Each structure stands twice: as structure tokens, then as C-alpha cells.
Amino acid sequence: MKPAVLLSVLAIYLGITVFLALLAYRRTKSANDYMIAGGETHPFLMAMAYGSTFISTSAIVGFGGSAGMFGMSLLWLTFCNIFVGIFIAFVVYGKRTLAVGKELGARTFPELLSLKYNSTFIRKFSALVIIGGMPLYAAAVMIGAGRVIEQLLKIDYTVAIITFAVIVAAYVMFGGLKGVFYNDAFQGSIMFIGMIVLLVVTYSKLGGVTTAHQALSDLTALVPEGLAAQGHVGWTSMPTMGSEFWWVVVSTLVMGVGIGVLAQPQLVVRFLTVKGPKQLNQAVLIGGVFILFMTGVAFVVGSLTNVYFHQTLGKISIAAVVDAVTNRPNIDNIIPLYVGMAMPAWFAYLFMFTLIAAAMSTLSSQFHAIGTSLCHDLYNQSSINSNRMAILVALAGSVVLSLKLPGSIIAVATAIFFGVCAATFLPAYTAALFWPRATKTGAIASMVVGLSSSIMLMAFVHAKEATALGLSNLMFGKPTLVGFPWVVVDPIVISLPLSAITLVAVSLVTSQARESILVPKATAHK
């Protein structure tokens, strides 16, 4: 594609984005419009906004790159994304969230929990977790977009990150959640088309479905000894059960994201934007098909990049992306490198727009969630202008992180945030919807235990974070306090059950204590 044509297409793309933001700006008249899009969103808009927020460059680039290493075992994550992230989320959690949220008049996730438990502490604590943790996830998304733009347009990575972030922040600041929804539907449509074309072109280039998958199976003998020792048995099989790779795939990539999606604040608030349960039912099919094509294609193509790189470079994927400086593979570059080498120029630019769309849709929701948490929930300021200023703070933090984080971080950072949200929020959120005996004290204890146990496990047990932070080595003279398998078992496996048990135990004790106080009073009055 000639530079002039590319610039023209880019101008049209940005023009549509600006138009949709202005349209939303003109239709955003109140804080209710800004934070929950007026509460009567069409099912298609809601489903596309949910799906395109859920699936970002972290899924396509980060997890697609992870599939280049781990293979098609990541398709279990696709199953979890659809069954848990769409069906369970919409039909079970979504309907109750909508009913409870409308009854309480909640407009944000922290506000929903705080009103249900009648606790200002829960509102501010939840807001702080979102403000402190979500920029890590946002940075992962920005890194994915920045790497693709850098690879395909050959521009400086820092320039790509800053320019991209400013564009996203602009339409979120002015359009609010309506602006996010309008653009998410547009961006999601581009993502859907781009991923279908990517799958078709990949299979065509590799000789068809059967030939491509057989070629991938035939590469099993090329699994490096180091990976084989960690449980890797080929790109079309699950890693050896109980091995290091098995724990990473099952506990971090599948469970961490597959379960963590239920407690994502920026996704939960989507349920508050529709009119009723009927609209949620209508959105299930749309969201399920969208997620199937987004994650399924990313994981299949990511795995098949091994075949392409072996045929063209004589290397498997991780060997093709070894960083010249660190001499270590950066799996975040697998998908961008594959698209840049294997795809025709026109598709490379289409895919770039696909990833830009994916990143913009997710980042817009993240910035909106951080902004409303900072302004509305933490400081109790509901004006539109104060929300816009809060988004600038979210933007600055995310940009700094995206420029500082190391390579191969996209999938890891995403899984960390999803896992922390699950351990911190999911038990209290679930109880708020389905268990009347849950108490304020139980919810607070659960959230504190979930967050603190996640942080402690990441600092001293889980090797990926513990070795990077260095606290365990500094304090105890060793990188982690325990050995295998705990060093590769994701914190969610421990912190989520701890959080849930704490909620139940403390709620039962405090509810019984309250009853023991009330009963004598009632008897005396009688």
C-alpha cells in the first residue's frame, strides 16, 4: 500500500472515530449518560462494547504470542472466555447485576458494592484497587498496539505509544461511555473482519487446514530441550500434567483470565447500560460469536506461526523473535513479525487497523473506569469535567508503564490484573448478588484478604513476579520462599479460595453475633 493511500485510509479511520466521539458528546447531557450511557443501550452495542473491551491487543498480540510458545492448549481459554466470560457473565451475573444496580441506582462497580453492603470503605477501597491496578492492564494493551505500529510503520515506539494514547483519551474524555460504545461497535466490526481475513490467509499460505495442522504436529521433534524439560510436548498437545508449563497454561492463562473476567470492573458496568434482562439474552449470541473469532483465531494463528517461521527461516517462533540486546525471546513480537513477513502489504495495514481498533476499544473502557473510580468513587465528584480530568491521570500512568515494562509482558500483565480482580472482588460481588447473609464485615475482610494474599504471593512465591520484584531475594536471600510447583502456580489458585472462605466465615460469625444481640432485645420487649 502506497504511503498516500495508507494516510488516506488512516485519515478516514480517525475521521469516523472523531465523528462518533462528537456524536456521543452531543448526546451526553448528564453524568448518567457519561457513566452508564443512559441505561438503555441496544443489545448489539452492548455486546460489541463488552466483547471489544474484553478482547484487546493483549489477547491478539500477547496471548497470540503465548500460543506461539505454548501451542493450541490455549484454546481452553477460548472455551472459558465464551462459557464463563459470556454465557455465565451475561445470563447469571449480568441479570442480577442489572436488577441490583437499578434498584440501588449504582453507576460504577465500586458504587454497586458499596451501596449493597452500605460501606463507604468498600467503595473507596475498590476504587483504589482499580486506580492502582488497571494502569498495568492498560499498559499491556498499549504495548501491543505500540509494537504493531512500530513494526509495520517503522516509527519510534515511544512516539507510537504517546500518539495512540492521546487519540484514545480524546474520544473517551469528550464522549463518555456513549463515545466508548459507539466507537467500540465500530472498532469491533473492524476487529471481526480483520481476524477472519487473518485466519483465511494463514491457512491458504500454509496449504489448507489439514496440511497446516499436520505440519504443526510434525514440528514436535523440534521442541527445544529446555522447553521439553518444562513439560512442552508439542504445539498441538497440552503440556505434561503437573509440569511447569501445565501450571502456567492452566492456572495463569486459562484460570486467571477465564475466571477473572467475571470481576472486571470495566465489564461489570456494561450490564448497567441496558434496559432489561431481554437485552442481555439477545447480547449473548453476538458476544459469544465475537469472542470465538477473536480469541480462537489469535490462538490458532499464533500456534501456526511456528510452521511459517520454520518453513521460511528454519526456526520455531520463539527463536525467530530473540531480542538482539537481551538475547532472550520476546513473544510479544511473534504476531507482529508474522504479519509483517507473511501477509501481503494491504493486509498488514488492515491488521494494523484491527489491532489499533482492539487496543482503542479496550483502552477507552479502561480509562473510563479509572477516571470514574478516581473522580466519582474516591472523591465523590460526579461532574463531567472532573471525570475528564481524571482520565488524563489514567492516561499519564498508563503511558509511563508502557514505556518502562519489560518484553514478553503483555499476557502476564493481563493475567495478573484479571487474577487480582478475581481474588479481590469476585467473592464479595457474587455474594452481593446471590447470598443475602453476606455481611459488610465479611465483604471487607474478603476483599482485603484477596488483595493482600495476591500481593504477598506475587512478591514472595510466584516466580514470574517475585524474581522481577526482588523483594524475596533482598529480604531472605533467595528469589522465592518455596520451590516447585508453587513457584509456577498462579496466585489466583490460592488467593481466590482464601478470599471466598474468608467472606463466608466472617459473614456467618458476624451475622450470628448480630442475631445474638437482637434476640434478647426482642424477648425483653415482648
Side-chain angles (χ1 to χ4, degrees):
M1 186 179 290
K2 296 179 180 179
V5 177
L6 173 61
L7 290 176
S8 299
V9 174
L10 180 61
I12 293 172
Y13 173 80
L14 293 177
I16 294 174
T17 300
V18 171
F19 168 76
L20 292 173
L22 290 173
L23 181 64
Y25 175 73
R26 297 181 65 177
R27 295 181 178 180
T28 299
K29 305 298 184 183
S30 66
N32 203 52
D33 289 334
Y34 194 88
M35 287 189 282
I36 58 171
E40 295 189 356
T41 302
H42 190 278
F44 175 79
L45 279 178
M46 182 271 179
M48 291 299 286
Y50 183 99
S52 56
T53 297
F54 184 7
I55 303 303
S56 65
T57 50
S58 64
I60 299 172
V61 175
F63 283 84
S66 294
M69 173 182 284
F70 296 105
M72 294 195 179
S73 57
L74 261 67
L75 287 173
W76 281 107
L77 177 54
T78 296
F79 169 77
C80 283
N81 288 159
I82 296 172
F83 181 69
V84 178
I86 297 295
F87 181 75
I88 298 296
F90 282 41
V91 176
V92 180
Y93 280 79
K95 291 180 179 179
R96 283 295 299 158
T97 300
L98 178 61
V100 173
K102 286 188 178 295
E103 177 186 348
L104 298 174
R107 294 182 291 185
T108 66
F109 180 67
E111 188 175 40
L112 174 71
L113 293 180
S114 69
L115 290 174
K116 184 64 179 178
Y117 290 110
N118 191 27
S119 170
T120 302
F121 174 84
I122 286 179
R123 182 173 180 175
K124 295 186 181 299
F125 181 82
S126 301
L128 285 172
V129 173
I130 294 169
I131 295 166
M134 195 172 287
L136 176 66
Y137 180 22
V141 175
M142 294 179 72
I143 290 170
R147 290 303 179 194
V148 171
I149 295 172
E150 175 193 37
Q151 183 79 27
L152 298 180
L153 295 185
K154 309 301 180 185
I155 65 175
D156 182 72
Y157 173 71
T158 302
V159 173
I161 287 290
I162 294 175
T163 303
F164 179 71
V166 170
I167 293 172
V168 176
Y171 78 73
V172 182
M173 286 174 63
F174 291 104
L177 198 56
K178 284 191 175 183
V180 171
F181 272 31
Y182 293 168
N183 270 290
D184 279 358
F186 169 57
Q187 315 289 4
S189 300
I190 295 176
M191 291 164 62
F192 191 81
I193 294 170
M195 295 304 281
I196 290 176
V197 175
L198 176 64
L199 184 66
V200 171
V201 173
T202 295
Y203 277 131
S204 175
K205 186 167 288 290
L206 297 180
V209 176
T210 303
T211 302
H213 285 258
Q214 184 59 52
L216 185 61
S217 296
D218 293 341
L219 293 180
T220 300
L222 297 180
V223 173
E225 290 184 7
L227 299 187
Q230 297 175 73
H232 200 308
V233 292
W235 290 272
T236 56
S237 304
M238 281 290 292
T240 303
M241 182 176 290
S243 66
E244 180 177 336
F245 268 28
W246 185 87
W247 278 111
V248 171
V249 170
V250 173
S251 70
T252 299
L253 300 180
V254 176
M255 288 182 60
V257 177
I259 296 175
V261 64
L262 292 174
Q264 289 292 291
Q266 75 277 16
L267 296 180
V268 171
V269 75
R270 296 292 186 267
F271 303 136
L272 303 175
T273 65
V274 295
K275 189 173 183 180
K278 180 181 177 181
Q279 283 70 34
L280 285 173
N281 288 336
Q282 294 171 345
V284 169
L285 180 60
I286 300 169
V289 172
F290 183 82
I291 297 298
L292 173 64
F293 276 88
M294 293 301 103
T295 62
V297 170
F299 301 159
V300 168
V301 171
S303 302
L304 291 174
T305 59
N306 287 281
V307 177
Y308 175 79
F309 288 133
H310 181 257
Q311 291 177 352
T312 56
L313 303 176
K315 303 176 181 178
I316 60 174
S317 296
I318 58 172
V321 292
V322 173
D323 189 277
V325 177
T326 63
N327 200 34
R328 300 178 62 182
N330 184 353
I331 61 175
D332 294 343
N333 284 331
I334 289 177
I335 295 296
L337 179 63
Y338 169 71
V339 171
M341 288 182 58
M343 300 291 118
W346 65 267
F347 178 78
Y349 292 121
L350 171 63
F351 189 69
M352 180 185 69
F353 285 118
T354 299
L355 292 181
I356 289 175
M360 288 180 73
S361 59
T362 301
L363 284 170
S364 61
S365 300
Q366 292 169 334
F367 287 161
H368 182 270
I370 299 170
T372 55
S373 293
L374 178 61
C375 181
H376 180 70
D377 295 310
L378 193 61
Y379 290 107
N380 201 28
Q381 296 291 323
S382 298
S383 69
I384 294 177
N385 286 334
S386 60
N387 273 276
R388 288 170 177 160
M389 292 303 297
I391 288 173
L392 287 177
V393 177
L395 168 68
S398 301
V399 168
V400 170
L401 280 174
S402 65
L403 297 175
K404 297 293 184 181
L405 290 173
S408 299
I409 193 64
I410 296 177
V412 174
T414 302
I416 288 173
F417 182 70
F418 273 60
V420 169
C421 281
T424 306
F425 298 132
L426 187 54
Y429 171 45
T430 303
L433 302 180
F434 303 108
W435 193 41
R437 292 198 66 181
T439 65
K440 177 173 69 174
T441 306
I444 292 173
S446 170
M447 295 171 70
V448 171
V449 167
L451 178 62
S452 59
S453 61
S454 295
I455 293 174
M456 293 297 289
L457 288 166
M458 286 188 288
F460 299 103
V461 176
H462 197 238
K464 189 73 176 182
E465 297 84 28
T467 53
L469 291 172
L471 288 177
S472 179
N473 196 51
L474 178 65
M475 296 173 64
F476 302 103
K478 49 185 178 180
T480 61
L481 296 182
V482 296
F484 183 84
W486 302 109
V487 290
V488 291
V489 175
D490 195 84
I492 192 176
V493 175
I494 301 170
S495 57
L496 179 56
L498 276 178
S499 178
I501 292 170
T502 301
L503 172 74
V504 174
V506 175
S507 291
L508 290 176
V509 170
T510 52
S511 64
Q512 288 174 357
R514 182 172 56 193
E515 289 172 1
S516 67
I517 293 173
L518 293 176
V519 170
K521 289 183 179 180
T523 303
H525 178 72
K526 182 177 179 180

